Amino acid sequence: FSTVDVTTVSGNADVRVAHGKVVARDIGGSADIETSYSPLECRNVGKGATLRNAHGSVTADTIGGITEITTKFGETDIRSINGDLTVINEHGAVKADDVDGNVKANTSFASIKISRTTGDISAINQHGSITVSNLLSGESAKPRSITLKSSFNTITLSAPSNLSATFKGVTSFGDLQVDYPLTLRAGGLSMSNASTKNIEGVIGDGRDTIVIENGNGSIKLINDGSTMTSAPRSAEPKRK
């Protein structure tokens, strides 16, 4: 259960620890790190990172490529990722900020918070809230897909005033709030019973795709009053 400190590696870092805290920073290549029952911290990596913790928190900051994180019963705090991000968690919160790529986040019985991303977003939760905010436009002209699904809590998507998307929202035993003018599709507003609401329509010219589904919880699509802007490129890792 001692701490393993890996610092200033010009190439790749491959670390396996049975039980103990791992701190890795200033890695010139990629990082592949595994531990359990202790925190895992990884900062300033030149390429991608694969981080696995069997039972504990994971922190990733300033990663220069595709990042994959797996853990249970621990929070994940992720910042400044220059590439796609995948987070698979159970019974632990997921927080991701400043991702220049697609984001996929799964957890249960805890919150998911995603902000400042340029690509597609898929967030799946059970018995926990989902909050997505500060959407940024990427360099590609590719339309964006956002899929948010949860149960027994609230899903909130805060988007800029110039949002343009097809929208589908389905909820049961909760409110459905849309802060944009919405052109309903044929049959795009329905209540299959007293508790289930279904809205389908187009915002603006329908460029992007937004699907939000919630069981026993509310949905909020909020106009945050901003204008979608391009993301500054994620910080380049420091070179030693």
Side-chain angles (χ1 to χ4, degrees):
F1 291 91
S2 60
T3 298
V4 175
D5 197 333
V6 181
T7 306
T8 314
V9 177
S10 60
N12 301 331
D14 192 338
V15 181
R16 300 288 184 273
V17 177
H19 301 285
K21 181 178 180 179
V22 177
V23 177
R25 55 184 180 270
D26 301 331
I27 309 299
S30 62
D32 190 335
I33 303 172
E34 181 175 348
T35 190
S36 62
Y37 293 94
S38 296
L40 190 166
E41 300 178 11
C42 186
R43 307 177 190 273
N44 196 35
V45 177
K47 296 182 179 179
T50 301
L51 311 175
R52 295 177 295 275
N53 197 342
H55 200 297
S57 64
V58 176
T59 300
D61 190 348
T62 314
I63 310 298
I66 294 172
T67 302
E68 299 179 354
I69 297 172
T70 305
T71 190
K72 297 179 181 178
F73 299 98
E75 296 184 354
T76 58
D77 189 356
I78 304 140
R79 303 176 185 178
S80 299
I81 307 298
N82 189 11
D84 294 345
L85 170 67
T86 300
V87 184
I88 307 298
N89 200 348
E90 294 181 27
H91 296 263
V94 175
K95 182 180 179 182
D97 179 69
D98 190 14
V99 180
D100 192 1
N102 301 325
V103 176
K104 177 181 178 181
N106 290 15
T107 194
S108 58
F109 297 95
S111 63
I112 296 177
K113 296 181 180 179
I114 300 170
S115 62
R116 293 180 54 79
T117 63
T118 63
D120 296 343
I121 299 172
S122 172
I124 311 297
N125 203 345
Q126 297 180 41
H127 295 262
S129 64
I130 298 175
T131 304
V132 177
S133 60
N134 297 319
L135 298 177
L136 301 173
S137 62
E139 296 179 357
S140 171
K142 174 187 174 184
R144 164 186 269 153
S145 173
I146 298 175
T147 302
L148 312 176
K149 297 181 180 181
S150 190
S151 60
F152 296 96
N153 218 304
T154 301
I155 301 176
T156 303
L157 171 58
S158 295
S161 57
N162 58 340
L163 176 70
S164 181
T166 60
F167 172 75
K168 178 180 180 180
V170 181
T171 185
S172 60
F173 297 100
D175 296 328
L176 206 166
Q177 172 186 340
V178 179
D179 289 353
Y180 294 86
L182 187 68
T183 302
L184 293 176
R185 290 179 168 175
L189 177 61
S190 66
M191 295 183 66
S192 59
N193 53 53
S195 62
T196 301
K197 303 179 181 71
N198 186 333
I199 293 180
E200 293 187 55
V202 179
I203 301 167
D205 63 13
R207 177 179 183 274
D208 298 331
T209 301
I210 299 173
V211 176
I212 306 178
E213 299 179 6
N214 204 349
N216 293 75
S218 295
I219 292 172
K220 298 180 181 180
L221 177 56
I222 297 174
N223 183 341
D224 66 13
S226 68
T227 300
M228 190 179 298
T229 58
S230 298
R233 192 166 184 79
S234 299
E236 289 292 333
K238 299 174 184 177
R239 295 288 182 256
K240 296 292 183 177

